[in-house]
Amino acid sequence: MKVLVAVKRVVDFNVKVRVKADNTGVDLTSVKMSLNPFCEIAVEEAVRLKEKGVASEIVVVSVGPATAQEQLRTALALGADRAVLVESNDELNSLAVAKLLKAVVDKEQPQLVILGKQAIDSDNNQTGQMLAALTGFAQGTFASKVEVAGDKVNVTREIDGGLQTLALNLPAVITTDLRLNEPRYASLPNIMKAKKKPLETVTPEALGVSTASTSKILKVEAPAARSAGIKVKSVAELVEKLKNEAKVI
Amino acid sequence: MTILVIAEHENGAVAPATLNTVAAAAKIGGDIHVLVAGQNVGGVAEAAAKIAGVAKVLVADNAAYANLLPENVAPLVAELGKGYSHVLAPATSNGKNILPRVAAQLDVDQISEIISVESADTFKRPIYAGNAIATVQSNAAVKVITVRATGFDAVAAEGGSAAVEAVAAVHNAGTSAFVGEELAKSDRPELTAAKIVVSGGRGMQNGDNFKHLYALADKLGAAVGASRAAVDAGFVPNDMQVGQTGKIVAPQLYIAVGISGAIQHLAGMKDSKVIVAINKDEEAPIFQVADYGLVADLFEAVPELEKLV
């Protein structure tokens, strides 16, 4: 079966971002960008399904600027077969991205769509669920285990109190949680081979999708800084402070 | 304005996060209705009717809504939601699972994990793992929002007397089925609702050593959490993880033991009132956010702390 994986170019998770002085957003000029960590897990899961003989083809798709080609090439180097970039320089909301992905799903007809559970920039945790709603597919969010069995997929999900297992009819949408797998590194020969793999570029207009949104960001501020703390010398001093100064125990 | 709040419930009781979500709804202003969806949830609906400030409780009690499968519950919420100005759910795993599906069916953007209400259409929410706070305005006909429980003080669970009304609509997509679940057993308070949280990181070295934290937690009446490093190393189950990808907590007191303080962990606990760090590395980033820091070997400090509190 065909697997579609959606990936996002985001600021690298190790970068401590700074808010712009004019409060219009965070400063992303000359900051290292990477594949969103949850998307990496999604690519890895698709590649493992292919290695098990479950998946026959992996198509990786990204919605973003032309530079997102770098992240698509990374996914190709990790084992995806071909890539689609929906090129847009606008900051798109999750619903707009889900609508664009729906258009790609309609065209590609995958049996399984895998996304990360959230992007570490917007922290929205919406796109997979929205795509499932638009396509009418079942959803297996926050997956820590995925097993395809015939025309169904069993998904073990991380929920607040522990784990839950669902059986979903295919086609289905799955979003990955951290513990689903440990992504591999791309080897140098695979990075070279990835340069020759097909990468198609389309636009939202060509897909006939409106990216209008019902919300806008008015302002982005730095969080309130915590006042500097003190170092105590002993456990006895710590207990004394907690009892008499902070009064929390 | 009338606001629909989706109740979170477990084991036949209203979950605490529902009370924080009703508090957010009260800040928006207007009548508050609560939807209780599930199977055999009559008791939950009665409890929801007692929540202070709730005007009406809608109860959708049907086998199709058991285990809150989003394929069945989202169409119900979207159908009901059309008559409301706002649809709110707590940012629990159920809320996060169901609400974006509702938003897409209503063709509106969702605003995730708000931490404050500025006005009926403007909200604040953290982005970039809590390293920036965005003020977001919505012009959607129905504003679909998840609420970060730790951002709002819970309303009283008693004192209200709302009418309970049954919802007859049954949506059953038949595309998904519940197979089973495996819940972690714990006698300690729930992590996100605890007043005190004691968390361990990679410095604990192994799962057995968490017994020191359990002993301390039991003495303090605290919940026990963990960093991603401790979970990934297999010391403790993953539902104990505090962080951007785990649970968000904001207790009165957070004690971080053997935790370095990576960005992703801080995103889950830096709104705690008082933070204590115990770490033998005095350069650890956790000390930059800690109100009280103790540079010490945790295997000596934690048992001593347990004796003294």
Side-chain angles (χ1 to χ4, degrees):
Chain A
M1 66 181 192
K2 191 193 272 190
V3 179
L4 187 75
V5 182
V7 300
K8 185 176 185 184
R9 173 184 170 90
V10 297
V11 63
D12 189 88
F13 73 98
N14 281 312
V15 173
K16 181 128 170 50
V17 294
R18 281 208 326 270
V19 171
K20 284 190 207 164
D22 64 359
N23 293 117
T24 54
V26 300
D27 191 358
L28 295 177
T29 46
S30 67
V31 164
K32 187 184 176 205
M33 303 295 279
S34 301
L35 199 55
N36 179 45
F38 292 102
C39 301
E40 243 180 307
I41 295 169
V43 173
E44 174 68 30
E45 195 63 19
V47 174
R48 290 186 188 189
L49 286 173
K50 195 175 176 191
E51 286 168 349
K52 276 188 231 160
V54 176
S56 50
E57 188 188 22
I58 303 168
V59 181
V60 61
V61 55
S62 189
V63 176
T67 45
Q69 286 190 22
E70 289 170 31
Q71 279 63 46
L72 287 171
R73 290 288 173 204
T74 302
L76 292 170
L78 292 170
D81 296 298
R82 59 189 174 85
V84 178
L85 173 64
V86 181
E87 195 174 329
S88 169
N89 289 314
D90 301 330
E91 284 243 1
L92 298 178
N93 282 325
S94 297
L95 183 61
V97 173
K99 286 178 179 174
L100 292 165
L101 293 176
K102 153 91 166 52
V104 177
V105 166
D106 286 346
K107 201 167 144 224
E108 297 284 349
Q109 298 286 318
Q111 285 295 98
L112 200 58
V113 186
I114 312 180
L115 302 87
K117 81 162 175 182
Q118 75 189 57
I120 61 166
D121 50 2
S122 59
D123 282 337
N124 269 337
N125 193 335
Q126 298 173 3
T127 308
Q129 294 89 316
M130 287 177 159
L131 176 62
L134 298 175
T135 53
F137 294 174
Q139 69 188 50
T141 54
F142 325 142
S144 60
K145 195 172 166 201
V146 173
E147 278 175 327
V148 177
D151 59 352
K152 291 197 192 296
V153 56
N154 285 317
V155 180
T156 301
R157 309 175 53 231
E158 299 200 0
I159 59 171
D160 285 338
L163 299 171
Q164 177 192 66
T165 304
L166 301 176
L168 311 178
N169 292 358
L170 291 173
V173 172
I174 288 171
T175 73
T176 63
D177 215 320
L178 271 178
R179 269 159 294 274
L180 180 58
N181 60 50
E182 200 156 313
R184 69 194 66 191
Y185 293 98
S187 68
L188 189 56
N190 285 345
I191 292 171
M192 301 309 287
K193 277 184 220 153
K195 291 182 179 167
K196 295 206 178 70
K197 289 185 179 175
L199 193 159
E200 175 197 355
T201 301
V202 293
T203 61
E205 296 74 39
L207 292 171
V209 173
S210 158
T211 57
S213 78
T214 61
S215 68
K216 62 176 180 204
I217 292 182
L218 301 180
K219 189 167 62 174
V220 174
E221 301 158 289
R226 289 188 75 95
S227 51
I230 56 162
K231 285 214 173 119
V232 293
K233 294 201 169 51
S234 68
V235 174
E237 189 188 347
L238 174 63
V239 172
E240 192 273 319
K241 295 274 188 203
L242 291 177
K243 278 187 175 152
N244 302 322
E245 198 176 273
K247 297 189 170 60
V248 285
I249 56 171
Chain B
M1 277 192 308
T2 314
I3 302 165
L4 182 65
V5 171
I6 317 301
E8 175 81 16
H9 56 87
E10 56 201 2
N11 307 324
V14 175
T18 307
L19 304 177
N20 306 87
T21 308
V22 170
K27 288 221 162 127
I28 294 169
D31 278 354
I32 300 170
H33 295 180
V34 171
L35 170 68
V36 177
Q39 189 178 19
N40 300 327
V41 286
V44 180
E46 275 171 39
K50 294 197 183 104
I51 298 173
V54 173
K56 194 187 338 180
V57 173
L58 304 173
V59 53
D61 200 329
N62 193 285
Y65 304 134
N67 303 302
L68 297 175
L69 297 175
E71 296 80 6
N72 302 346
V73 175
L76 168 74
V77 178
E79 183 185 286
L80 294 171
K82 283 188 186 122
Y84 288 87
S85 60
H86 299 71
V87 175
L88 269 56
T92 53
S93 48
N94 281 324
K96 290 176 185 177
N97 194 29
I98 295 166
L99 222 57
R101 202 165 170 122
V102 173
Q105 289 185 336
L106 292 171
D107 197 27
V108 298
D109 289 319
Q110 177 188 295
I111 301 178
S112 293
E113 301 217 25
I114 61 163
I115 53 169
S116 84
V117 173
E118 303 297 297
S119 71
D121 67 358
T122 308
F123 310 91
K124 285 193 177 181
R125 60 175 300 262
I127 53 176
Y128 289 90
N131 287 303
I133 307 296
T135 305
V136 188
Q137 189 175 47
S138 168
N139 61 13
V142 184
K143 292 163 184 66
V144 176
I145 296 165
T146 61
V147 175
R148 182 174 284 190
T150 58
F152 299 88
D153 292 330
V155 297
E158 301 281 339
S161 56
V164 178
E165 196 175 283
V167 177
V170 177
H171 297 267
N172 194 345
T175 51
S176 58
F178 175 81
V179 175
E181 63 187 4
E182 198 181 308
L183 300 179
K185 289 183 189 72
S186 174
D187 301 331
R188 294 186 188 85
E190 215 265 309
L191 196 51
T192 51
K195 290 209 159 43
I196 303 178
V197 173
V198 180
S199 279
R202 199 193 302 273
M204 297 307 295
Q205 293 177 6
N206 59 51
D208 191 40
N209 284 335
F210 265 73
K211 66 179 184 230
H212 299 299
L213 299 190
Y214 294 133
L216 175 60
D218 289 342
K219 200 107 177 255
L220 292 167
V224 178
S227 70
R228 183 182 160 189
V231 171
D232 281 352
F235 299 173
V236 290
N238 57 41
D239 55 296
M240 282 171 65
Q241 185 185 318
V242 172
Q244 185 187 16
T245 56
K247 289 183 180 160
I248 314 285
V249 301
Q252 294 287 306
L253 172 62
Y254 188 90
I255 305 178
V257 181
I259 291 176
S260 66
I263 294 174
Q264 105 87 28
H265 186 73
L266 299 183
M269 47 63 82
K270 69 187 167 70
D271 292 324
S272 306
K273 185 160 172 273
V274 174
I275 298 173
V276 169
I278 301 174
N279 204 302
K280 64 181 176 188
D281 174 12
E282 60 178 311
E283 302 295 323
I286 191 78
F287 286 121
Q288 291 165 19
V289 300
D291 299 280
Y292 302 107
L294 175 64
V295 180
D297 183 345
L298 69 93
F299 295 107
E300 287 165 19
V302 173
E304 193 185 342
L305 184 57
E306 190 215 321
K307 271 196 209 96
L308 292 177
V309 292

